[in-house]
Every structure is written in C-alpha cells, then in structure tokens.
Amino acid sequence: MVRNRLAPRRGSRQNVASAIDQDIRGRSHLLAFLSAVVALVAAFAAVGSTIPLFNVYRAEDGFSNAGIAMTVVAYSAATLTTLLVLGRLSNHVGRRLTSIASIGLLVLGCLLLLDVHHIDILVAGRLVMGLGAGLASSSLTSYIVDAAPARPSWLASVASSQTVMLGLAVGAIASGALVQFGPWRRDLIYLVVIGFLILSAALIAISPETANPTPGAWRSLRPRVGVPARVRHLLPVAVSVFLATWAAGAFYQAFVPALVIDQLHTRSPFILGLVFAAYMGPSALGAPLGGGFTPEAAQRTGMIAFLAGMIGVVIAIATGTLALFIAATIVAGAAQGVAISATTRGLLQGVTLADRAPIFSTIYLLCYSGAAIPALIAGQISTTFSLQQIALGYGVLAIVATVFTVFGGAQPLDDTYSHSHSQDRA
C-alpha cells in the first residue's frame, strides 16, 4: 500500500521536473532565437548603412555609377565565395562561433569605410562586409531556424529570410538620417553600427548553442552546393524568384542613388535611405501575409504583385514621378517578401538540422548571384545606356521570372505544410 501511494508521487515529481526542464530549454532557445534575430538585423544594417553615402562619395570624391556598381559586385562576389567555402562550417564548429566571426568581419568592414576617399577603399570595405554577410547568411539564419518557436509554423522561414531585408532597411534609414542631420556624416553611422554589432556579439556569446560541434570542419571547406533530393525539384522556381527579387535589390543599391538625383530631383541622403528602405522594409511586413497559403500559391501571388510593382517603378522613372516611384517600390518590396519567404518555407520543409546550413548557403548563393550578375552587366553598360533603359532591363527580368514562377511552381513532396497549417488553424 505504501509503495502504491508513493508511486504516483514519484511520477508526479518526474513530470514536474520534466516540465521545468522543458521550460528552461524553451526559454534558452527563445534567447538564442532573439539574439540571432538581433544579430542578423545588425549584420545587414551594417550592409545597408553605406547606401545613403553613395551620393556623398559621388559628389565629394567623383565616384561614377560604374564604380558604385562595382562595389555591389565586389560585395556580392565576396558573399558568394564565403557561402561556397564556409557555408557548412557552422554544422561542425557550432552556430555561435561562426556567427561571432561573421560579426567580427563586418566590424572590420565598417572600420575600413571610416576613411573612404578613393573607390578602391570603398570596394575593399564592401568586399570585407561581403565576407561577413556571407558567413552570417548561413550561420545566423540557421541559428534562427534551430531556435525558432514551433508555432506559428511560418515564423522560422519568415524570420530567417526577412530579417535580412529588415536589417538593410534599418541601416539605410538610420544612415540617411545621420548623414543628413548628424555630425561627422561620413563616419558617424559606421561608429553606431559598430556598437550595435558588438552588442549583438555579446548576445550571441551568452546564448546557448543549437548545433553540437562535429568532426569534418576542414572537409566542409571544400566548395559544394546542393539541397536534399526531396526538395530539389523546387530549385528552378526558387532560382527565378531569388534572381529577380535580389537583382532588383542590387539595382536599388547601385543605380537608385543616381536616379534619386537625376530623375527624381532630390539630393537628400535621408530621402535616399527612405527610398531604399521602401523596397527592403515592406518585405519583412509582407512575408507573414503568405503564411496562410501554400508555398506554391504564395510564390505565384507574390511574384505577380512584384511584377506589378516593378512595372510601376519603370513608369515612375520614365516620367520622373517620385510619389509613384515610392508607391510602386513599396508594392514590389512587400510582394518580394511574400515570394521569398514562401520559397524559403518550401525548401525548409521536413529537413534535418544538419541540412539547414547547406540549404541556406544554396539559397543565398542564388540570391547573391541574382544580385551580382545583373549588376555587373548593368555597370558595364551604364556608360552606353541611360538609367531609364537599365531600369527597363530589370523590368524585363521581372516579367520572365514571374511567368516562369506562375507556370512552373511546385509543391514540396510531403504534406508537412498541410498538417502544420491545419494545426495552426485549429
């Protein structure tokens, strides 16, 4: 009788202990999730902070449109190289170490940009930033997915794919405001960003590790690109989505500074920051809108709206209409958020923890290829063709990508989405 009475008590104690352990793990993972999100915002705020300064460099140091375009290419090429070589490293040495290393590279890039008076220094600073952004793109995004709460089911894909856009928008707006209204306009934003990055590194340092270190770190440095076979059929449409949307983002970096002056008749760095943020910021807000749809449906809807926005951008540039340009930019930005997060969600469904870093490396390889290749071509022809004609070329790219997405979209091979979605609705 005594044993029978004690048994339930023992079981209840074990249940309580288990619940306490789960609560502690949940809180530690929440800290890791929030720290990784903050760090990714800081990383890409550093990247976006340079954009409003491009016109300052053009006016005071004589940088050309082609030179500015080359900084975009250098940044993207460095990011691509890092993703190819270091994209799987966090699986072997842990998310925290690689995340902190990426932040260190971004701090170094900001330090280089404190003294920009020649295009080579700007290219070098953006190249180092590209190395840091590439490492952050694989390690911090994987860290976010590892630690993200299970509900809502779309949170992991939205946070991992759209925090980048949010960071770019925050960096551009803050930079534009400080360049126009603050002291030391060529330096202050970088000092602020460095402080933000150091704080982010401290948050990562006190957060728990989500990927246990495993042997094979040196072997992982051999360039290799791939995704699990079960989602490989999704890659063609993913390529079209990432290519078109990130090409537009590179267009805003490389050519919108000149367009704001030459076509939209304003020299305000703050307006330039707002214009760039009008494309990047709504992406983070638009992404959750696609969470209630299948990845395929959200991809199609997002790309159709993205095309509508890009058509508006081309018309606004041709007519010199600032209000239409801003409105069309917001539409295109929100729509790309829907399309990119849906594409990311489809590629992540049902994958293991070890697959996440390689998948994100592949995703960002596609993204930065989409940014670098059109920007390289556009930079080379910028002395021959007008900015309106270059914008039209990006519009044609959006048309091709949208048509391919609408008629070539495919669902993941299992019913993970429908199962989790039904639970969310319940």
Side-chain angles (χ1 to χ4, degrees):
M1 292 294 294
V2 173
R3 289 180 182 177
N4 290 338
R5 289 174 183 172
L6 289 176
R9 293 181 183 176
R10 248 189 231 115
S12 63
R13 288 173 184 169
Q14 290 173 349
N15 291 337
V16 170
S18 177
I20 292 173
D21 289 342
Q22 289 178 357
D23 182 61
I24 293 172
R25 285 196 298 269
R27 290 182 182 181
S28 63
H29 273 70
L30 181 60
L31 173 62
F33 174 73
L34 295 175
S35 298
V37 168
V38 169
L40 196 59
V41 169
F44 283 90
V47 174
S49 66
T50 312
I51 310 303
L53 281 160
F54 281 160
N55 279 342
V56 175
Y57 300 146
R58 290 173 74 229
E60 297 181 4
D61 301 306
F63 295 174
S64 65
N65 290 338
I68 296 297
M70 282 307 300
T71 68
V72 177
V73 173
Y75 165 80
S76 300
T79 305
L80 287 168
T81 302
T82 306
L83 288 166
L84 279 171
V85 177
L86 302 179
R88 292 172 292 134
L89 185 63
S90 68
N91 281 347
H92 301 280
V93 302
R95 310 292 195 216
R96 291 195 307 166
L97 181 60
T98 49
S99 296
I100 291 172
S102 72
I103 293 171
L105 286 167
L106 288 160
V107 169
L108 178 59
C110 289
L111 291 173
L112 287 173
L113 294 177
L114 287 172
D115 186 28
V116 174
H117 293 285
H118 193 277
I119 191 65
D120 290 345
I121 299 298
L122 181 58
V123 170
R126 294 293 285 178
L127 188 148
V128 174
M129 278 189 166
L131 297 175
L135 192 54
S137 295
S138 62
S139 58
L140 281 171
T141 49
S142 298
Y143 201 8
I144 287 172
V145 175
D146 292 350
R151 295 288 180 269
S153 59
W154 48 261
L155 180 61
S157 63
V158 169
S160 58
S161 63
Q162 298 308 311
T163 301
V164 170
M165 306 300 182
L166 179 61
L168 290 168
V170 168
I173 293 175
S175 177
L178 292 178
V179 170
Q180 184 161 343
F181 305 115
W184 319 316
R185 64 175 186 162
R186 296 173 67 113
D187 302 324
L188 181 58
I189 181 59
Y190 298 126
L191 297 174
V192 171
V193 166
I194 287 171
F196 194 14
L197 288 168
I198 292 173
L199 174 62
S200 302
L203 288 173
I204 294 293
I206 63 173
S207 298
E209 179 59 71
T210 57
N212 294 324
T214 59
W218 286 108
R219 289 194 301 273
S220 75
L221 302 183
R222 289 180 296 183
R224 191 175 72 188
V225 179
V227 297
R230 58 179 300 281
V231 296
R232 203 165 291 158
H233 67 291
L234 302 177
L235 278 180
V237 169
V239 170
S240 68
V241 171
F242 294 139
L243 174 62
T245 54
W246 278 65
F251 169 75
Y252 275 80
Q253 290 186 53
F255 296 104
V256 166
L259 282 169
V260 167
I261 292 177
D262 301 338
Q263 301 297 320
L264 305 178
H265 315 299
T266 177
R267 293 182 174 272
S268 167
F270 185 55
I271 293 296
L272 174 55
L274 289 176
V275 168
F276 182 72
Y279 181 70
M280 296 299 176
S283 181
L285 299 176
L289 297 177
F293 301 92
T294 65
E296 181 187 21
Q299 277 179 337
R300 289 175 173 172
T301 303
M303 286 303 293
I304 291 171
F306 172 76
L307 175 58
M310 289 301 295
I311 291 172
V313 167
V314 172
I315 294 172
I317 291 171
T319 59
T321 309
L322 180 59
L324 175 60
F325 184 83
I326 296 295
T329 294
I330 292 172
V331 170
Q336 77 155 353
V338 176
I340 290 174
S341 62
T343 304
T344 303
R345 181 156 47 102
L347 291 173
L348 287 176
Q349 283 186 26
V351 301
T352 65
L353 185 147
D355 287 329
R356 288 170 185 167
I359 285 177
F360 276 114
S361 295
T362 302
I363 287 173
Y364 283 105
L365 278 168
L366 297 174
C367 291
Y368 285 107
S369 295
I373 296 171
L376 178 61
I377 296 171
Q380 294 300 313
I381 66 175
S382 63
T383 55
T384 304
F385 293 90
S386 68
L387 290 176
Q388 296 99 312
Q389 291 171 321
I390 291 173
L392 182 61
Y394 279 93
V396 171
L397 178 60
I399 292 173
V400 174
T402 301
V403 170
F404 186 79
T405 301
V406 169
F407 292 102
Q411 284 278 33
L413 293 178
D414 65 10
D415 61 351
T416 303
Y417 170 80
S418 58
H419 175 67
S420 62
H421 183 53
S422 64
Q423 285 185 333
D424 283 348
R425 291 179 65 87

